[in-house]
Amino acid sequence: MLTSAALRPSPITPTVDFDGKGVQHGHLRLPYSRDDSAWGSVMIPICVIANCEGPTALLTGANHGDEYEGPAALFELAQTLDPAAINGRVIIVPALNYPAFRAGTRTSPIDRGNLNRSFPGRSDGTVTEKIADYVTRHLIPLADIVLDFHSGGRTLDFLPYAAAHELPDKDQEARCFDAVAAFAAPFSMKMLEIDAVGMLDTTVEEMGKVFVTTELGGAGTATARSIEIARKGSLNLLRHAGILSGEPNAVPTRWLDMPSSDCFTFAQDEGLIAFAADLGDPVRTGEVIARVYSVGKTGIAPIEYRAAMDGVLAARHVPGLIKAGDCLSVIATITEET
Ligand SMILES: [Zn+2]
């Protein structure tokens, strides 16, 4: 009988010992035979810091290759976290879709794979699917709590927030939102996904773990402010999990909600986009968010995009030109301030 794809062993070999103590810097080595390296590999950096018995946190960045707060915070954390201060284990993969990260693109230049649409992955699939499969079967099962950093990449920009999802298991949901509160980003979101199939988020949540994601900015870069939010949030989450001692540094956060698909606006046609509201601005139902001008000639009225609900502008399209189908904006409602 053929072994099903899901049960075939992963081709990825870790060069770290997940049961070892102290600090280990190594790689996940993924065989990738290609023109410039017949028996070559993709070498995904990984760091394991462990000491004493305790919970395990898995911290990942660059699940999308053009999102930089996670990698900036996690390369630093891997270098500075003192194992003597740890109770448990921290597994850090600062650039999960490493080929995409090196190319500065959302998806992998090898197979165009969008890692966060490739879960649970396949051990006999593309390079991106093999990464997803390894994370699903070998990294997530080790973890009690998972933090996966995102931001808007080159085409979106967000208010800086940590987020969790509504879940069928209300006890698990509460534990996820407690972790979001502990992260203490300027904003905290009850997040609605456009399509949750294939996401790391869904895979972690289905395994019953505590999961926190973020959207901390975007526009293809990271700022001093957004990196600091990521850095402090990582440490707060490790304190919340009991892996670092002390309480999370409580700072005020504004709780946001995406109550329905009305929060998303998509462009109907291409053109030049002129926003009438910036990130964080309050918007009311019916108010113009943006105008999109046809650029072939003058004298054509722009298409006006209006808010379908009251709230604040939580995300926006970044490039000055927009295409049909692009996500133009996201509106979120403010539910509570702490
Ligand atoms: Zn992302």
Side-chain angles (χ1 to χ4, degrees):
M1 199 171 84
L2 284 174
T3 310
S4 79
L7 295 176
R8 281 195 193 117
S10 169
I12 292 180
T13 306
T15 68
V16 290
D17 173 7
F18 290 107
D19 296 323
K21 296 282 187 261
V23 181
Q24 300 174 72
H25 300 286
H27 295 92
L28 302 174
R29 189 175 62 76
L30 165 54
Y32 170 45
S33 177
R34 57 197 193 269
D35 288 345
D36 69 342
S37 188
W39 288 8
S41 309
V42 174
M43 300 291 279
I44 304 166
I46 185 167
C47 170
V48 180
I49 306 174
N51 185 30
C52 315
E53 289 301 304
T56 295
L58 171 63
L59 313 179
T60 54
N63 181 333
H64 292 129
D66 60 351
E67 303 172 3
Y68 297 101
E69 286 80 6
L74 295 179
F75 273 108
E76 184 196 323
L77 197 65
Q79 205 193 348
T80 55
L81 210 50
D82 176 6
I86 297 279
N87 285 300
R89 178 170 53 177
V90 184
I91 302 171
I92 300 172
V93 189
L96 200 55
N97 194 343
Y98 192 64
F101 176 67
R102 291 297 302 267
T105 51
R106 181 174 180 81
T107 62
S108 174
I110 296 172
D111 51 30
R112 306 315 318 173
N114 181 338
L115 181 57
N116 215 29
R117 302 293 182 274
S118 302
F119 281 83
R122 294 178 63 99
S123 60
D124 64 348
T126 63
V127 164
T128 304
E129 288 170 336
K130 287 170 178 168
I131 296 172
D133 170 70
Y134 187 83
V135 173
T136 299
R137 289 197 291 150
H138 296 278
L139 294 186
I140 300 170
L142 298 176
D144 300 287
I145 185 165
V146 178
L147 167 62
D148 185 38
F149 279 105
H150 287 262
S151 60
R154 292 197 288 195
T155 64
L156 290 173
D157 197 8
F158 285 85
L159 286 180
Y161 64 77
H165 302 102
E166 270 189 56
L167 297 174
D169 178 341
K170 292 302 167 190
D171 177 61
Q172 183 192 7
E173 179 187 296
R175 287 185 288 125
C176 293
F177 280 106
D178 285 349
V180 169
F183 185 101
F187 296 88
S188 300
M189 179 74 88
K190 184 183 278 190
M191 198 163 174
L192 177 69
E193 300 293 345
I194 294 173
D195 181 2
V197 173
M199 295 180 72
L200 169 66
D201 313 44
T202 312
T203 301
V204 175
E205 288 160 356
E206 284 177 354
M207 289 193 209
K209 316 274 182 176
V210 174
F211 181 74
V212 175
T213 187
T214 71
E215 298 288 1
L216 294 180
T221 189
T223 64
R225 182 166 172 264
S226 66
I227 291 168
E228 187 62 6
I229 295 166
R231 201 183 69 78
K232 284 185 176 166
S234 304
L235 294 172
N236 276 340
L237 208 70
L238 294 179
R239 291 185 192 111
H240 175 73
I243 295 171
L244 285 177
S245 60
E247 291 296 311
N249 290 331
V251 295
T253 187
R254 299 176 88 181
W255 282 88
L256 304 175
D257 195 2
M258 295 160 69
S260 77
S261 58
D262 280 349
C263 64
F264 302 107
T265 303
F266 296 92
Q268 299 161 27
D269 208 347
E270 63 179 13
L272 166 71
I273 184 161
F275 274 95
D278 286 322
L279 286 181
D281 283 352
V283 292
R284 297 200 69 82
T285 305
E287 206 173 288
V288 173
I289 306 170
R291 297 176 177 87
V292 173
Y293 289 87
S294 177
V295 295
K297 62 178 208 173
T298 58
I300 300 172
I303 298 177
E304 291 185 331
Y305 291 88
R306 295 173 183 274
M309 53 188 261
D310 292 352
V312 294
L313 195 68
R316 54 155 282 177
H317 181 78
V318 167
L321 299 179
I322 195 162
K323 303 181 299 298
D326 286 353
C327 182
L328 185 145
S329 65
V330 178
I331 294 172
T333 54
I334 295 178
T335 55
E336 142 187 22
E337 309 208 16
T338 59

mmCIF file of all heavy atoms in Angstrom, residues 156-192:
data_model
loop_
_atom_site.group_PDB
_atom_site.id
_atom_site.type_symbol
_atom_site.label_atom_id
_atom_site.label_comp_id
_atom_site.label_asym_id
_atom_site.label_seq_id
_atom_site.Cartn_x
_atom_site.Cartn_y
_atom_site.Cartn_z
ATOM 1 N N LEU A 156 -0.151 46.705 1.318
ATOM 2 C CA LEU A 156 -1.117 47.153 2.321
ATOM 3 C C LEU A 156 -0.381 47.814 3.487
ATOM 4 O O LEU A 156 0.794 47.531 3.731
ATOM 5 C CB LEU A 156 -1.936 45.976 2.870
ATOM 6 C CG LEU A 156 -2.958 45.322 1.935
ATOM 7 C CD1 LEU A 156 -3.537 44.062 2.597
ATOM 8 C CD2 LEU A 156 -4.096 46.282 1.577
ATOM 9 N N ASP A 157 -1.086 48.679 4.202
ATOM 10 C CA ASP A 157 -0.561 49.266 5.437
ATOM 11 C C ASP A 157 -1.672 49.198 6.487
ATOM 12 O O ASP A 157 -2.852 49.412 6.166
ATOM 13 C CB ASP A 157 -0.132 50.721 5.198
ATOM 14 C CG ASP A 157 0.784 51.228 6.307
ATOM 15 O OD1 ASP A 157 1.206 50.442 7.168
ATOM 16 O OD2 ASP A 157 1.092 52.445 6.282
ATOM 17 N N PHE A 158 -1.314 48.867 7.734
ATOM 18 C CA PHE A 158 -2.287 48.638 8.810
ATOM 19 C C PHE A 158 -2.007 49.531 10.008
ATOM 20 O O PHE A 158 -0.842 49.847 10.294
ATOM 21 C CB PHE A 158 -2.190 47.189 9.316
ATOM 22 C CG PHE A 158 -2.785 46.147 8.403
ATOM 23 C CD1 PHE A 158 -2.046 45.601 7.365
ATOM 24 C CD2 PHE A 158 -4.084 45.702 8.603
ATOM 25 C CE1 PHE A 158 -2.589 44.631 6.535
ATOM 26 C CE2 PHE A 158 -4.635 44.731 7.780
ATOM 27 C CZ PHE A 158 -3.889 44.194 6.739
ATOM 28 N N LEU A 159 -3.049 49.833 10.762
ATOM 29 C CA LEU A 159 -2.864 50.276 12.141
ATOM 30 C C LEU A 159 -2.153 49.141 12.872
ATOM 31 O O LEU A 159 -2.462 47.979 12.624
ATOM 32 C CB LEU A 159 -4.214 50.516 12.836
ATOM 33 C CG LEU A 159 -5.012 51.754 12.461
ATOM 34 C CD1 LEU A 159 -6.308 51.775 13.273
ATOM 35 C CD2 LEU A 159 -4.199 53.032 12.735
ATOM 36 N N PRO A 160 -1.226 49.446 13.776
ATOM 37 C CA PRO A 160 -0.491 48.352 14.420
ATOM 38 C C PRO A 160 -1.350 47.600 15.440
ATOM 39 O O PRO A 160 -1.731 48.157 16.465
ATOM 40 C CB PRO A 160 0.680 49.055 15.101
ATOM 41 C CG PRO A 160 0.232 50.461 15.309
ATOM 42 C CD PRO A 160 -0.732 50.771 14.197
ATOM 43 N N TYR A 161 -1.684 46.347 15.118
ATOM 44 C CA TYR A 161 -2.482 45.553 16.059
ATOM 45 C C TYR A 161 -2.001 44.104 16.171
ATOM 46 O O TYR A 161 -1.429 43.560 15.245
ATOM 47 C CB TYR A 161 -3.966 45.596 15.719
ATOM 48 C CG TYR A 161 -4.426 44.996 14.405
ATOM 49 C CD1 TYR A 161 -4.548 43.625 14.239
ATOM 50 C CD2 TYR A 161 -4.809 45.826 13.342
ATOM 51 C CE1 TYR A 161 -5.011 43.088 13.046
ATOM 52 C CE2 TYR A 161 -5.276 45.297 12.146
ATOM 53 C CZ TYR A 161 -5.375 43.928 12.006
ATOM 54 O OH TYR A 161 -5.835 43.392 10.832
ATOM 55 N N ALA A 162 -2.233 43.534 17.366
ATOM 56 C CA ALA A 162 -2.164 42.088 17.566
ATOM 57 C C ALA A 162 -3.596 41.578 17.492
ATOM 58 O O ALA A 162 -4.543 42.328 17.769
ATOM 59 C CB ALA A 162 -1.541 41.743 18.909
ATOM 60 N N ALA A 163 -3.769 40.304 17.114
ATOM 61 C CA ALA A 163 -5.123 39.824 16.834
ATOM 62 C C ALA A 163 -5.279 38.345 17.155
ATOM 63 O O ALA A 163 -4.318 37.585 17.173
ATOM 64 C CB ALA A 163 -5.457 40.048 15.363
ATOM 65 N N ALA A 164 -6.529 37.988 17.411
ATOM 66 C CA ALA A 164 -6.932 36.580 17.471
ATOM 67 C C ALA A 164 -8.285 36.477 16.774
ATOM 68 O O ALA A 164 -8.867 37.491 16.373
ATOM 69 C CB ALA A 164 -7.003 36.090 18.913
ATOM 70 N N HIS A 165 -8.758 35.234 16.635
ATOM 71 C CA HIS A 165 -10.008 34.984 15.904
ATOM 72 C C HIS A 165 -11.091 34.477 16.849
ATOM 73 O O HIS A 165 -10.791 33.891 17.887
ATOM 74 C CB HIS A 165 -9.773 33.927 14.816
ATOM 75 C CG HIS A 165 -8.705 34.303 13.835
ATOM 76 N ND1 HIS A 165 -7.433 33.782 13.890
ATOM 77 C CD2 HIS A 165 -8.722 35.157 12.798
ATOM 78 C CE1 HIS A 165 -6.709 34.294 12.918
ATOM 79 N NE2 HIS A 165 -7.460 35.140 12.238
ATOM 80 N N GLU A 166 -12.329 34.641 16.427
ATOM 81 C CA GLU A 166 -13.419 33.931 17.096
ATOM 82 C C GLU A 166 -13.233 32.448 16.844
ATOM 83 O O GLU A 166 -12.941 32.040 15.714
ATOM 84 C CB GLU A 166 -14.770 34.373 16.519
ATOM 85 C CG GLU A 166 -15.360 35.554 17.236
ATOM 86 C CD GLU A 166 -16.791 35.821 16.793
ATOM 87 O OE1 GLU A 166 -17.613 34.891 16.900
ATOM 88 O OE2 GLU A 166 -17.042 36.936 16.341
ATOM 89 N N LEU A 167 -13.398 31.630 17.880
ATOM 90 C CA LEU A 167 -13.180 30.186 17.744
ATOM 91 C C LEU A 167 -14.380 29.437 18.296
ATOM 92 O O LEU A 167 -15.078 29.938 19.194
ATOM 93 C CB LEU A 167 -11.923 29.775 18.524
ATOM 94 C CG LEU A 167 -10.603 30.389 18.033
ATOM 95 C CD1 LEU A 167 -9.470 30.024 18.976
ATOM 96 C CD2 LEU A 167 -10.281 29.932 16.614
ATOM 97 N N PRO A 168 -14.616 28.217 17.793
ATOM 98 C CA PRO A 168 -15.733 27.428 18.319
ATOM 99 C C PRO A 168 -15.543 27.080 19.795
ATOM 100 O O PRO A 168 -16.514 27.006 20.542
ATOM 101 C CB PRO A 168 -15.726 26.152 17.453
ATOM 102 C CG PRO A 168 -14.528 26.216 16.585
ATOM 103 C CD PRO A 168 -13.947 27.585 16.659
ATOM 104 N N ASP A 169 -14.287 26.856 20.207
ATOM 105 C CA ASP A 169 -13.980 26.543 21.613
ATOM 106 C C ASP A 169 -13.777 27.869 22.349
ATOM 107 O O ASP A 169 -12.758 28.541 22.171
ATOM 108 C CB ASP A 169 -12.716 25.677 21.666
ATOM 109 C CG ASP A 169 -12.292 25.350 23.100
ATOM 110 O OD1 ASP A 169 -12.717 26.056 24.041
ATOM 111 O OD2 ASP A 169 -11.514 24.391 23.268
ATOM 112 N N LYS A 170 -14.779 28.277 23.138
ATOM 113 C CA LYS A 170 -14.756 29.605 23.760
ATOM 114 C C LYS A 170 -13.663 29.728 24.814
ATOM 115 O O LYS A 170 -13.158 30.823 25.066
ATOM 116 C CB LYS A 170 -16.133 29.944 24.352
ATOM 117 C CG LYS A 170 -17.196 30.132 23.271
ATOM 118 C CD LYS A 170 -16.784 31.232 22.292
ATOM 119 C CE LYS A 170 -17.622 31.257 21.023
ATOM 120 N NZ LYS A 170 -17.071 32.164 19.990
ATOM 121 N N ASP A 171 -13.294 28.599 25.441
ATOM 122 C CA ASP A 171 -12.202 28.638 26.421
ATOM 123 C C ASP A 171 -10.875 28.923 25.702
ATOM 124 O O ASP A 171 -10.087 29.768 26.129
ATOM 125 C CB ASP A 171 -12.145 27.303 27.177
ATOM 126 C CG ASP A 171 -10.981 27.269 28.142
ATOM 127 O OD1 ASP A 171 -10.965 28.128 29.051
ATOM 128 O OD2 ASP A 171 -10.080 26.419 27.990
ATOM 129 N N GLN A 172 -10.663 28.231 24.578
ATOM 130 C CA GLN A 172 -9.453 28.478 23.778
ATOM 131 C C GLN A 172 -9.454 29.921 23.255
ATOM 132 O O GLN A 172 -8.426 30.610 23.290
ATOM 133 C CB GLN A 172 -9.393 27.486 22.619
ATOM 134 C CG GLN A 172 -8.123 27.633 21.769
ATOM 135 C CD GLN A 172 -8.209 26.852 20.460
ATOM 136 O OE1 GLN A 172 -9.279 26.304 20.120
ATOM 137 N NE2 GLN A 172 -7.121 26.816 19.728
ATOM 138 N N GLU A 173 -10.617 30.379 22.782
ATOM 139 C CA GLU A 173 -10.738 31.759 22.281
ATOM 140 C C GLU A 173 -10.333 32.763 23.363
ATOM 141 O O GLU A 173 -9.578 33.711 23.107
ATOM 142 C CB GLU A 173 -12.176 32.013 21.819
ATOM 143 C CG GLU A 173 -12.422 33.419 21.305
ATOM 144 C CD GLU A 173 -13.900 33.670 21.014
ATOM 145 O OE1 GLU A 173 -14.430 33.003 20.114
ATOM 146 O OE2 GLU A 173 -14.505 34.525 21.685
ATOM 147 N N ALA A 174 -10.817 32.542 24.593
ATOM 148 C CA ALA A 174 -10.493 33.460 25.692
ATOM 149 C C ALA A 174 -8.994 33.462 25.971
ATOM 150 O O ALA A 174 -8.395 34.520 26.215
ATOM 151 C CB ALA A 174 -11.268 33.068 26.945
ATOM 152 N N ARG A 175 -8.370 32.274 25.898
ATOM 153 C CA ARG A 175 -6.924 32.204 26.145
ATOM 154 C C ARG A 175 -6.148 32.936 25.035
ATOM 155 O O ARG A 175 -5.136 33.584 25.300
ATOM 156 C CB ARG A 175 -6.472 30.740 26.262
ATOM 157 C CG ARG A 175 -6.914 30.113 27.586
ATOM 158 C CD ARG A 175 -6.382 28.707 27.783
ATOM 159 N NE ARG A 175 -7.044 27.740 26.911
ATOM 160 C CZ ARG A 175 -6.422 26.935 26.066
ATOM 161 N NH1 ARG A 175 -5.115 26.949 25.988
ATOM 162 N NH2 ARG A 175 -7.109 26.096 25.312
ATOM 163 N N CYS A 176 -6.648 32.862 23.802
ATOM 164 C CA CYS A 176 -6.002 33.585 22.698
ATOM 165 C C CYS A 176 -6.130 35.094 22.902
ATOM 166 O O CYS A 176 -5.151 35.841 22.728
ATOM 167 C CB CYS A 176 -6.612 33.173 21.357
ATOM 168 S SG CYS A 176 -6.275 31.458 20.888
ATOM 169 N N PHE A 177 -7.320 35.573 23.279
ATOM 170 C CA PHE A 177 -7.489 37.027 23.464
ATOM 171 C C PHE A 177 -6.742 37.529 24.698
ATOM 172 O O PHE A 177 -6.266 38.667 24.712
ATOM 173 C CB PHE A 177 -8.973 37.400 23.476
ATOM 174 C CG PHE A 177 -9.543 37.473 22.092
ATOM 175 C CD1 PHE A 177 -10.392 36.484 21.618
ATOM 176 C CD2 PHE A 177 -9.198 38.515 21.233
ATOM 177 C CE1 PHE A 177 -10.887 36.525 20.318
ATOM 178 C CE2 PHE A 177 -9.685 38.560 19.931
ATOM 179 C CZ PHE A 177 -10.535 37.562 19.480
ATOM 180 N N ASP A 178 -6.597 36.683 25.745
ATOM 181 C CA ASP A 178 -5.750 37.061 26.880
ATOM 182 C C ASP A 178 -4.315 37.292 26.410
ATOM 183 O O ASP A 178 -3.635 38.213 26.865
ATOM 184 C CB ASP A 178 -5.759 35.961 27.955
ATOM 185 C CG ASP A 178 -7.056 35.951 28.750
ATOM 186 O OD1 ASP A 178 -7.850 36.905 28.612
ATOM 187 O OD2 ASP A 178 -7.279 34.973 29.488
ATOM 188 N N ALA A 179 -3.853 36.434 25.502
ATOM 189 C CA ALA A 179 -2.489 36.563 24.978
ATOM 190 C C ALA A 179 -2.353 37.811 24.110
ATOM 191 O O ALA A 179 -1.326 38.496 24.143
ATOM 192 C CB ALA A 179 -2.108 35.305 24.195
ATOM 193 N N VAL A 180 -3.396 38.132 23.338
ATOM 194 C CA VAL A 180 -3.391 39.366 22.536
ATOM 195 C C VAL A 180 -3.294 40.579 23.461
ATOM 196 O O VAL A 180 -2.520 41.512 23.210
ATOM 197 C CB VAL A 180 -4.670 39.467 21.667
ATOM 198 C CG1 VAL A 180 -4.811 40.852 21.038
ATOM 199 C CG2 VAL A 180 -4.656 38.393 20.586
ATOM 200 N N ALA A 181 -4.072 40.562 24.554
ATOM 201 C CA ALA A 181 -4.028 41.678 25.514
ATOM 202 C C ALA A 181 -2.638 41.798 26.122
ATOM 203 O O ALA A 181 -2.115 42.902 26.304
ATOM 204 C CB ALA A 181 -5.077 41.469 26.605
ATOM 205 N N ALA A 182 -2.008 40.653 26.413
ATOM 206 C CA ALA A 182 -0.665 40.677 27.003
ATOM 207 C C ALA A 182 0.363 41.236 26.029
ATOM 208 O O ALA A 182 1.293 41.935 26.435
ATOM 209 C CB ALA A 182 -0.272 39.262 27.433
ATOM 210 N N PHE A 183 0.210 40.944 24.752
ATOM 211 C CA PHE A 183 1.127 41.477 23.725
ATOM 212 C C PHE A 183 1.154 42.999 23.797
ATOM 213 O O PHE A 183 2.185 43.628 23.656
ATOM 214 C CB PHE A 183 0.678 40.984 22.343
ATOM 215 C CG PHE A 183 1.614 41.362 21.221
ATOM 216 C CD1 PHE A 183 2.508 40.431 20.704
ATOM 217 C CD2 PHE A 183 1.587 42.631 20.642
ATOM 218 C CE1 PHE A 183 3.367 40.765 19.655
ATOM 219 C CE2 PHE A 183 2.440 42.976 19.597
ATOM 220 C CZ PHE A 183 3.327 42.032 19.105
ATOM 221 N N ALA A 184 -0.027 43.600 24.043
ATOM 222 C CA ALA A 184 -0.157 45.040 24.293
ATOM 223 C C ALA A 184 0.344 45.896 23.141
ATOM 224 O O ALA A 184 1.154 46.810 23.322
ATOM 225 C CB ALA A 184 0.531 45.418 25.612
ATOM 226 N N ALA A 185 -0.150 45.619 21.949
ATOM 227 C CA ALA A 185 0.070 46.525 20.809
ATOM 228 C C ALA A 185 -0.845 47.739 21.003
ATOM 229 O O ALA A 185 -1.782 47.693 21.803
ATOM 230 C CB ALA A 185 -0.264 45.811 19.504
ATOM 231 N N PRO A 186 -0.597 48.837 20.294
ATOM 232 C CA PRO A 186 -1.486 50.002 20.425
ATOM 233 C C PRO A 186 -2.949 49.657 20.126
ATOM 234 O O PRO A 186 -3.860 50.258 20.696
ATOM 235 C CB PRO A 186 -0.930 50.983 19.390
ATOM 236 C CG PRO A 186 0.511 50.606 19.275
ATOM 237 C CD PRO A 186 0.557 49.114 19.440
ATOM 238 N N PHE A 187 -3.176 48.684 19.226
ATOM 239 C CA PHE A 187 -4.532 48.220 18.914
ATOM 240 C C PHE A 187 -4.575 46.697 19.061
ATOM 241 O O PHE A 187 -3.561 46.020 18.875
ATOM 242 C CB PHE A 187 -4.945 48.606 17.488
ATOM 243 C CG PHE A 187 -5.038 50.089 17.274
ATOM 244 C CD1 PHE A 187 -3.906 50.808 16.884
ATOM 245 C CD2 PHE A 187 -6.221 50.766 17.480
ATOM 246 C CE1 PHE A 187 -3.978 52.183 16.706
ATOM 247 C CE2 PHE A 187 -6.306 52.146 17.302
ATOM 248 C CZ PHE A 187 -5.170 52.854 16.917
ATOM 249 N N SER A 188 -5.756 46.184 19.420
ATOM 250 C CA SER A 188 -5.973 44.735 19.548
ATOM 251 C C SER A 188 -7.248 44.406 18.777
ATOM 252 O O SER A 188 -8.263 45.070 18.957
ATOM 253 C CB SER A 188 -6.141 44.340 21.012
ATOM 254 O OG SER A 188 -4.980 44.683 21.755
ATOM 255 N N MET A 189 -7.180 43.372 17.943
ATOM 256 C CA MET A 189 -8.269 43.141 16.969
ATOM 257 C C MET A 189 -8.918 41.774 17.148
ATOM 258 O O MET A 189 -8.227 40.768 17.313
ATOM 259 C CB MET A 189 -7.669 43.224 15.550
ATOM 260 C CG MET A 189 -8.640 42.981 14.424
ATOM 261 S SD MET A 189 -9.769 44.373 14.138
ATOM 262 C CE MET A 189 -8.768 45.330 12.973
ATOM 263 N N LYS A 190 -10.238 41.772 17.067
ATOM 264 C CA LYS A 190 -10.970 40.521 16.857
ATOM 265 C C LYS A 190 -11.068 40.376 15.347
ATOM 266 O O LYS A 190 -11.827 41.086 14.698
ATOM 267 C CB LYS A 190 -12.351 40.569 17.503
ATOM 268 C CG LYS A 190 -13.096 39.266 17.384
ATOM 269 C CD LYS A 190 -14.497 39.357 17.954
ATOM 270 C CE LYS A 190 -14.504 39.177 19.454
ATOM 271 N NZ LYS A 190 -15.898 39.040 19.962
ATOM 272 N N MET A 191 -10.261 39.476 14.782
ATOM 273 C CA MET A 191 -9.989 39.524 13.342
ATOM 274 C C MET A 191 -10.889 38.594 12.540
ATOM 275 O O MET A 191 -11.083 37.430 12.915
ATOM 276 C CB MET A 191 -8.533 39.153 13.098
ATOM 277 C CG MET A 191 -8.005 39.568 11.745
ATOM 278 S SD MET A 191 -6.203 39.540 11.783
ATOM 279 C CE MET A 191 -5.874 39.887 10.068
ATOM 280 N N LEU A 192 -11.389 39.120 11.444
ATOM 281 C CA LEU A 192 -12.165 38.345 10.476
ATOM 282 C C LEU A 192 -11.280 38.133 9.257
ATOM 283 O O LEU A 192 -10.714 39.091 8.723
ATOM 284 C CB LEU A 192 -13.418 39.136 10.082
ATOM 285 C CG LEU A 192 -14.334 38.532 9.028
ATOM 286 C CD1 LEU A 192 -15.043 37.294 9.561
ATOM 287 C CD2 LEU A 192 -15.371 39.563 8.570
#
